Short mmCIF file of all heavy atoms in Angstrom, two decimals:
data_model
loop_
_atom_site.label_atom_id
_atom_site.label_comp_id
_atom_site.label_asym_id
_atom_site.label_seq_id
_atom_site.Cartn_x
_atom_site.Cartn_y
_atom_site.Cartn_z
N VAL A 39 -16.46 -7.94 7.65
CA VAL A 39 -15.16 -8.17 7.02
C VAL A 39 -14.28 -6.93 7.17
O VAL A 39 -13.08 -7.03 7.43
CB VAL A 39 -15.32 -8.57 5.54
CG1 VAL A 39 -13.97 -8.71 4.85
CG2 VAL A 39 -16.12 -9.86 5.43
N ALA A 40 -14.88 -5.74 7.03
CA ALA A 40 -14.13 -4.50 7.19
C ALA A 40 -13.54 -4.40 8.59
O ALA A 40 -12.38 -3.99 8.76
CB ALA A 40 -15.02 -3.30 6.89
N THR A 41 -14.32 -4.79 9.59
CA THR A 41 -13.84 -4.75 10.97
C THR A 41 -12.65 -5.68 11.15
O THR A 41 -11.63 -5.30 11.73
CB THR A 41 -14.98 -5.15 11.93
OG1 THR A 41 -16.08 -4.25 11.73
CG2 THR A 41 -14.54 -5.09 13.37
N LYS A 42 -12.75 -6.89 10.64
CA LYS A 42 -11.66 -7.87 10.76
C LYS A 42 -10.43 -7.42 9.98
O LYS A 42 -9.30 -7.56 10.46
CB LYS A 42 -12.14 -9.25 10.29
CG LYS A 42 -11.13 -10.34 10.52
CD LYS A 42 -10.84 -10.53 12.00
CE LYS A 42 -9.88 -11.68 12.25
NZ LYS A 42 -9.58 -11.86 13.66
N LEU A 43 -10.64 -6.88 8.79
CA LEU A 43 -9.51 -6.38 8.00
C LEU A 43 -8.78 -5.26 8.73
O LEU A 43 -7.55 -5.19 8.69
CB LEU A 43 -9.99 -5.88 6.64
CG LEU A 43 -10.19 -6.92 5.56
CD1 LEU A 43 -10.85 -6.29 4.34
CD2 LEU A 43 -8.88 -7.57 5.18
N SER A 44 -9.53 -4.38 9.39
CA SER A 44 -8.90 -3.30 10.16
C SER A 44 -7.97 -3.87 11.22
O SER A 44 -6.86 -3.38 11.41
CB SER A 44 -9.96 -2.42 10.83
OG SER A 44 -10.67 -1.66 9.88
N GLU A 45 -8.44 -4.92 11.90
CA GLU A 45 -7.61 -5.58 12.91
C GLU A 45 -6.35 -6.17 12.28
O GLU A 45 -5.24 -5.98 12.79
CB GLU A 45 -8.38 -6.73 13.57
CG GLU A 45 -9.46 -6.35 14.51
CD GLU A 45 -10.21 -7.59 15.02
OE1 GLU A 45 -9.59 -8.68 15.13
OE2 GLU A 45 -11.41 -7.46 15.30
N LEU A 46 -6.52 -6.92 11.21
CA LEU A 46 -5.41 -7.60 10.58
C LEU A 46 -4.38 -6.64 9.97
O LEU A 46 -3.17 -6.88 10.06
CB LEU A 46 -5.92 -8.57 9.50
CG LEU A 46 -6.75 -9.74 10.00
CD1 LEU A 46 -7.38 -10.49 8.82
CD2 LEU A 46 -5.91 -10.69 10.84
N LEU A 47 -4.88 -5.58 9.35
CA LEU A 47 -3.99 -4.61 8.70
C LEU A 47 -3.43 -3.58 9.67
O LEU A 47 -2.51 -2.84 9.32
CB LEU A 47 -4.73 -3.89 7.57
CG LEU A 47 -5.18 -4.73 6.39
CD1 LEU A 47 -6.04 -3.89 5.44
CD2 LEU A 47 -3.99 -5.33 5.67
N LYS A 48 -4.05 -3.52 10.86
CA LYS A 48 -3.69 -2.47 11.84
C LYS A 48 -3.82 -1.09 11.18
O LYS A 48 -2.97 -0.23 11.34
CB LYS A 48 -2.30 -2.70 12.40
CG LYS A 48 -2.20 -3.99 13.20
CD LYS A 48 -0.81 -4.20 13.71
CE LYS A 48 -0.64 -5.38 14.60
NZ LYS A 48 -1.10 -6.65 14.21
N LYS A 49 -4.90 -0.97 10.42
CA LYS A 49 -5.18 0.26 9.67
C LYS A 49 -6.69 0.35 9.49
O LYS A 49 -7.35 -0.66 9.29
CB LYS A 49 -4.48 0.17 8.31
CG LYS A 49 -4.66 1.37 7.42
CD LYS A 49 -3.86 1.19 6.14
CE LYS A 49 -3.97 2.39 5.25
NZ LYS A 49 -3.06 3.46 5.58
N ASP A 50 -7.21 1.56 9.55
CA ASP A 50 -8.65 1.75 9.36
C ASP A 50 -9.07 1.30 7.97
O ASP A 50 -8.43 1.66 6.97
CB ASP A 50 -9.02 3.22 9.56
CG ASP A 50 -10.51 3.46 9.37
OD1 ASP A 50 -11.30 2.75 10.01
OD2 ASP A 50 -10.86 4.35 8.58
N VAL A 51 -10.12 0.49 7.90
CA VAL A 51 -10.72 0.10 6.63
C VAL A 51 -12.10 0.74 6.60
O VAL A 51 -12.94 0.45 7.44
CB VAL A 51 -10.84 -1.44 6.49
CG1 VAL A 51 -11.62 -1.82 5.24
CG2 VAL A 51 -9.45 -2.07 6.47
N GLN A 52 -12.31 1.64 5.66
CA GLN A 52 -13.59 2.33 5.56
C GLN A 52 -14.56 1.48 4.75
O GLN A 52 -14.32 1.19 3.58
CB GLN A 52 -13.44 3.70 4.90
CG GLN A 52 -14.75 4.46 4.89
CD GLN A 52 -14.61 5.86 4.32
OE1 GLN A 52 -13.51 6.37 4.14
NE2 GLN A 52 -15.73 6.48 4.05
N PHE A 53 -15.65 1.08 5.39
CA PHE A 53 -16.68 0.30 4.73
C PHE A 53 -17.64 1.24 4.03
O PHE A 53 -18.12 2.22 4.62
CB PHE A 53 -17.43 -0.55 5.77
CG PHE A 53 -18.56 -1.33 5.17
CD1 PHE A 53 -18.32 -2.44 4.39
CD2 PHE A 53 -19.88 -0.95 5.38
CE1 PHE A 53 -19.35 -3.17 3.83
CE2 PHE A 53 -20.92 -1.65 4.82
CZ PHE A 53 -20.65 -2.76 4.05
N LEU A 54 -17.93 0.96 2.77
CA LEU A 54 -18.91 1.74 2.01
C LEU A 54 -20.12 0.86 1.78
O LEU A 54 -19.99 -0.29 1.37
CB LEU A 54 -18.31 2.20 0.69
CG LEU A 54 -17.07 3.09 0.82
CD1 LEU A 54 -16.48 3.41 -0.54
CD2 LEU A 54 -17.39 4.36 1.59
N ASP A 55 -21.31 1.37 2.07
CA ASP A 55 -22.52 0.55 2.07
C ASP A 55 -23.13 0.28 0.70
O ASP A 55 -24.26 -0.18 0.60
CB ASP A 55 -23.56 1.12 3.02
CG ASP A 55 -24.04 2.50 2.63
OD1 ASP A 55 -23.59 3.03 1.60
OD2 ASP A 55 -24.86 3.06 3.37
N ASP A 56 -22.36 0.52 -0.35
CA ASP A 56 -22.76 0.14 -1.70
C ASP A 56 -21.49 -0.12 -2.49
O ASP A 56 -20.38 0.10 -1.97
CB ASP A 56 -23.61 1.22 -2.37
CG ASP A 56 -24.53 0.69 -3.47
OD1 ASP A 56 -24.33 -0.46 -3.92
OD2 ASP A 56 -25.44 1.42 -3.89
N CYS A 57 -21.62 -0.56 -3.72
CA CYS A 57 -20.43 -0.80 -4.54
C CYS A 57 -20.46 0.03 -5.81
O CYS A 57 -19.52 -0.04 -6.61
CB CYS A 57 -20.29 -2.29 -4.87
SG CYS A 57 -21.69 -2.98 -5.75
N VAL A 58 -21.50 0.81 -6.01
CA VAL A 58 -21.64 1.68 -7.17
C VAL A 58 -22.30 2.98 -6.72
O VAL A 58 -22.86 3.07 -5.64
CB VAL A 58 -22.50 1.05 -8.29
CG1 VAL A 58 -21.83 -0.17 -8.86
CG2 VAL A 58 -23.88 0.70 -7.78
N GLY A 59 -22.25 3.98 -7.58
CA GLY A 59 -22.98 5.22 -7.33
C GLY A 59 -22.08 6.39 -6.98
O GLY A 59 -20.87 6.24 -6.76
N GLU A 60 -22.68 7.54 -6.95
CA GLU A 60 -21.95 8.79 -6.71
C GLU A 60 -21.31 8.85 -5.33
O GLU A 60 -20.20 9.36 -5.19
CB GLU A 60 -22.87 9.99 -6.93
CG GLU A 60 -23.17 10.26 -8.39
CD GLU A 60 -21.92 10.47 -9.24
OE1 GLU A 60 -21.01 11.25 -8.83
OE2 GLU A 60 -21.82 9.84 -10.31
N ASP A 61 -21.98 8.34 -4.29
CA ASP A 61 -21.41 8.38 -2.95
C ASP A 61 -20.14 7.54 -2.88
O ASP A 61 -19.15 7.94 -2.26
CB ASP A 61 -22.42 7.91 -1.90
CG ASP A 61 -23.56 8.88 -1.70
OD1 ASP A 61 -23.42 10.07 -2.08
OD2 ASP A 61 -24.60 8.46 -1.16
N VAL A 62 -20.16 6.38 -3.50
CA VAL A 62 -18.99 5.51 -3.53
C VAL A 62 -17.86 6.19 -4.31
O VAL A 62 -16.72 6.25 -3.85
CB VAL A 62 -19.33 4.13 -4.15
CG1 VAL A 62 -18.07 3.31 -4.38
CG2 VAL A 62 -20.31 3.38 -3.26
N LYS A 63 -18.20 6.72 -5.46
CA LYS A 63 -17.20 7.40 -6.30
C LYS A 63 -16.56 8.57 -5.54
O LYS A 63 -15.33 8.70 -5.53
CB LYS A 63 -17.87 7.92 -7.57
CG LYS A 63 -16.93 8.60 -8.53
CD LYS A 63 -17.66 9.03 -9.79
CE LYS A 63 -16.73 9.78 -10.72
NZ LYS A 63 -17.41 10.24 -11.93
N LYS A 64 -17.37 9.36 -4.88
CA LYS A 64 -16.87 10.51 -4.14
C LYS A 64 -15.94 10.06 -3.01
O LYS A 64 -14.88 10.65 -2.79
CB LYS A 64 -18.04 11.32 -3.58
CG LYS A 64 -17.64 12.58 -2.89
CD LYS A 64 -18.86 13.36 -2.42
CE LYS A 64 -18.45 14.61 -1.68
NZ LYS A 64 -19.62 15.37 -1.22
N ALA A 65 -16.34 9.02 -2.29
CA ALA A 65 -15.52 8.53 -1.17
C ALA A 65 -14.15 8.06 -1.66
O ALA A 65 -13.12 8.46 -1.11
CB ALA A 65 -16.24 7.40 -0.44
N VAL A 66 -14.13 7.22 -2.68
CA VAL A 66 -12.85 6.67 -3.13
C VAL A 66 -11.98 7.71 -3.82
O VAL A 66 -10.75 7.65 -3.73
CB VAL A 66 -13.01 5.40 -3.99
CG1 VAL A 66 -13.69 4.30 -3.20
CG2 VAL A 66 -13.74 5.67 -5.28
N GLU A 67 -12.60 8.66 -4.48
CA GLU A 67 -11.81 9.73 -5.09
C GLU A 67 -11.15 10.60 -4.04
O GLU A 67 -10.12 11.22 -4.28
CB GLU A 67 -12.67 10.58 -6.02
CG GLU A 67 -12.96 9.90 -7.34
CD GLU A 67 -13.82 10.73 -8.28
OE1 GLU A 67 -14.42 11.74 -7.85
OE2 GLU A 67 -13.91 10.34 -9.46
N GLY A 68 -11.73 10.65 -2.84
CA GLY A 68 -11.17 11.43 -1.74
C GLY A 68 -10.14 10.67 -0.93
O GLY A 68 -9.56 11.22 0.01
N GLY A 69 -9.89 9.42 -1.27
CA GLY A 69 -8.92 8.63 -0.52
C GLY A 69 -7.52 9.18 -0.66
O GLY A 69 -7.16 9.77 -1.68
N LYS A 70 -6.72 9.00 0.39
CA LYS A 70 -5.33 9.46 0.35
C LYS A 70 -4.50 8.64 1.33
O LYS A 70 -5.04 7.96 2.21
CB LYS A 70 -5.24 10.94 0.67
CG LYS A 70 -5.77 11.33 2.03
CD LYS A 70 -5.70 12.82 2.24
CE LYS A 70 -6.29 13.14 3.62
NZ LYS A 70 -6.29 14.54 3.91
N ASP A 71 -3.22 8.68 1.13
CA ASP A 71 -2.27 8.02 2.04
C ASP A 71 -2.55 6.54 2.21
O ASP A 71 -2.44 5.99 3.30
CB ASP A 71 -2.26 8.71 3.41
CG ASP A 71 -1.89 10.19 3.32
OD1 ASP A 71 -1.06 10.54 2.46
OD2 ASP A 71 -2.45 10.99 4.09
N GLY A 72 -2.93 5.87 1.12
CA GLY A 72 -3.17 4.43 1.17
C GLY A 72 -4.45 4.03 1.88
O GLY A 72 -4.59 2.89 2.32
N GLN A 73 -5.41 4.95 1.97
CA GLN A 73 -6.70 4.64 2.62
C GLN A 73 -7.29 3.37 2.00
O GLN A 73 -7.29 3.21 0.80
CB GLN A 73 -7.68 5.80 2.43
CG GLN A 73 -9.09 5.51 2.89
CD GLN A 73 -9.23 5.33 4.39
OE1 GLN A 73 -8.76 6.15 5.13
NE2 GLN A 73 -9.86 4.26 4.81
N VAL A 74 -7.78 2.47 2.84
CA VAL A 74 -8.37 1.22 2.38
C VAL A 74 -9.89 1.33 2.46
O VAL A 74 -10.45 1.71 3.49
CB VAL A 74 -7.88 0.02 3.24
CG1 VAL A 74 -8.52 -1.27 2.76
CG2 VAL A 74 -6.36 -0.08 3.19
N PHE A 75 -10.55 0.99 1.36
CA PHE A 75 -12.00 0.98 1.27
C PHE A 75 -12.46 -0.44 0.98
O PHE A 75 -11.85 -1.14 0.18
CB PHE A 75 -12.49 1.87 0.12
CG PHE A 75 -12.18 3.32 0.29
CD1 PHE A 75 -11.03 3.86 -0.27
CD2 PHE A 75 -13.03 4.15 1.01
CE1 PHE A 75 -10.75 5.21 -0.12
CE2 PHE A 75 -12.75 5.50 1.16
CZ PHE A 75 -11.60 6.03 0.59
N LEU A 76 -13.54 -0.86 1.62
CA LEU A 76 -14.18 -2.12 1.28
C LEU A 76 -15.60 -1.80 0.83
O LEU A 76 -16.38 -1.18 1.58
CB LEU A 76 -14.23 -3.07 2.49
CG LEU A 76 -14.99 -4.39 2.25
CD1 LEU A 76 -14.33 -5.22 1.15
CD2 LEU A 76 -15.09 -5.18 3.54
N LEU A 77 -15.93 -2.18 -0.38
CA LEU A 77 -17.26 -1.95 -0.92
C LEU A 77 -18.21 -3.04 -0.45
O LEU A 77 -17.80 -4.17 -0.18
CB LEU A 77 -17.21 -1.94 -2.45
CG LEU A 77 -16.18 -1.00 -3.11
CD1 LEU A 77 -16.33 -1.06 -4.62
CD2 LEU A 77 -16.30 0.41 -2.61
N GLU A 78 -19.49 -2.71 -0.38
CA GLU A 78 -20.51 -3.68 0.02
C GLU A 78 -20.60 -4.80 -1.02
O GLU A 78 -20.14 -4.66 -2.16
CB GLU A 78 -21.87 -2.98 0.19
CG GLU A 78 -23.01 -3.87 0.66
CD GLU A 78 -22.76 -4.63 1.96
OE1 GLU A 78 -22.05 -5.66 1.92
OE2 GLU A 78 -23.28 -4.21 3.00
N ASN A 79 -21.18 -5.89 -0.62
CA ASN A 79 -21.33 -7.10 -1.43
C ASN A 79 -21.84 -6.78 -2.84
O ASN A 79 -22.93 -6.25 -3.01
CB ASN A 79 -22.31 -8.04 -0.71
CG ASN A 79 -22.34 -9.43 -1.27
OD1 ASN A 79 -21.90 -9.69 -2.38
ND2 ASN A 79 -22.89 -10.34 -0.50
N LEU A 80 -21.04 -7.14 -3.82
CA LEU A 80 -21.42 -6.91 -5.22
C LEU A 80 -22.72 -7.62 -5.58
O LEU A 80 -23.47 -7.16 -6.43
CB LEU A 80 -20.30 -7.39 -6.15
CG LEU A 80 -19.02 -6.58 -6.06
CD1 LEU A 80 -17.81 -7.47 -6.16
CD2 LEU A 80 -19.00 -5.51 -7.11
N ARG A 81 -22.97 -8.75 -4.96
CA ARG A 81 -24.16 -9.53 -5.30
C ARG A 81 -25.46 -8.94 -4.76
O ARG A 81 -26.52 -9.52 -4.93
CB ARG A 81 -24.00 -10.97 -4.84
CG ARG A 81 -23.02 -11.71 -5.71
CD ARG A 81 -23.07 -13.19 -5.50
NE ARG A 81 -22.24 -13.87 -6.47
CZ ARG A 81 -21.64 -15.02 -6.26
NH1 ARG A 81 -21.78 -15.63 -5.10
NH2 ARG A 81 -20.91 -15.56 -7.18
N PHE A 82 -25.39 -7.78 -4.13
CA PHE A 82 -26.61 -7.08 -3.74
C PHE A 82 -27.24 -6.41 -4.96
O PHE A 82 -28.29 -5.80 -4.86
CB PHE A 82 -26.32 -6.05 -2.65
CG PHE A 82 -26.11 -6.64 -1.28
CD1 PHE A 82 -26.16 -8.00 -1.04
CD2 PHE A 82 -25.86 -5.81 -0.21
CE1 PHE A 82 -25.96 -8.52 0.23
CE2 PHE A 82 -25.68 -6.31 1.07
CZ PHE A 82 -25.73 -7.67 1.30
N HIS A 83 -26.59 -6.55 -6.11
CA HIS A 83 -27.12 -6.01 -7.37
C HIS A 83 -27.44 -7.18 -8.29
O HIS A 83 -26.60 -8.05 -8.52
CB HIS A 83 -26.11 -5.06 -8.02
CG HIS A 83 -25.91 -3.82 -7.22
ND1 HIS A 83 -26.71 -2.71 -7.38
CD2 HIS A 83 -25.05 -3.51 -6.22
CE1 HIS A 83 -26.33 -1.78 -6.53
NE2 HIS A 83 -25.33 -2.24 -5.81
N VAL A 84 -28.63 -7.19 -8.85
CA VAL A 84 -29.10 -8.31 -9.65
C VAL A 84 -28.18 -8.61 -10.84
O VAL A 84 -28.01 -9.76 -11.21
CB VAL A 84 -30.56 -8.09 -10.10
CG1 VAL A 84 -30.68 -6.99 -11.15
CG2 VAL A 84 -31.18 -9.37 -10.60
N GLU A 85 -27.55 -7.60 -11.38
CA GLU A 85 -26.66 -7.80 -12.52
C GLU A 85 -25.47 -8.71 -12.15
O GLU A 85 -24.95 -9.43 -13.00
CB GLU A 85 -26.10 -6.45 -13.01
CG GLU A 85 -27.14 -5.48 -13.49
CD GLU A 85 -27.77 -4.64 -12.36
OE1 GLU A 85 -27.44 -4.82 -11.18
OE2 GLU A 85 -28.61 -3.79 -12.70
N GLU A 86 -25.07 -8.67 -10.93
CA GLU A 86 -23.94 -9.46 -10.46
C GLU A 86 -24.33 -10.92 -10.23
O GLU A 86 -23.48 -11.78 -10.14
CB GLU A 86 -23.41 -8.83 -9.18
CG GLU A 86 -21.99 -9.02 -8.81
CD GLU A 86 -20.95 -8.99 -9.90
OE1 GLU A 86 -20.91 -8.06 -10.72
OE2 GLU A 86 -20.15 -9.93 -9.93
#
Side-chain angles (χ1 to χ4, degrees):
V39 175
T41 302
K42 186 63 177 179
L43 278 172
S44 290
E45 287 176 30
L46 295 171
L47 296 174
K48 296 179 175 51
K49 181 176 182 83
D50 180 52
V51 173
Q52 184 177 347
F53 177 74
L54 300 176
D55 62 2
D56 205 345
C57 60
V58 295
E60 287 303 313
D61 290 341
V62 171
K63 182 178 177 181
K64 185 177 178 180
V66 299
E67 284 180 346
K70 60 183 178 181
D71 301 325
Q73 172 67 50
V74 179
F75 296 94
L76 176 62
L77 308 183
E78 183 55 282
N79 192 342
L80 293 141
R81 287 193 173 151
F82 284 0
H83 293 272
V84 71
E85 299 85 358
E86 206 39 51

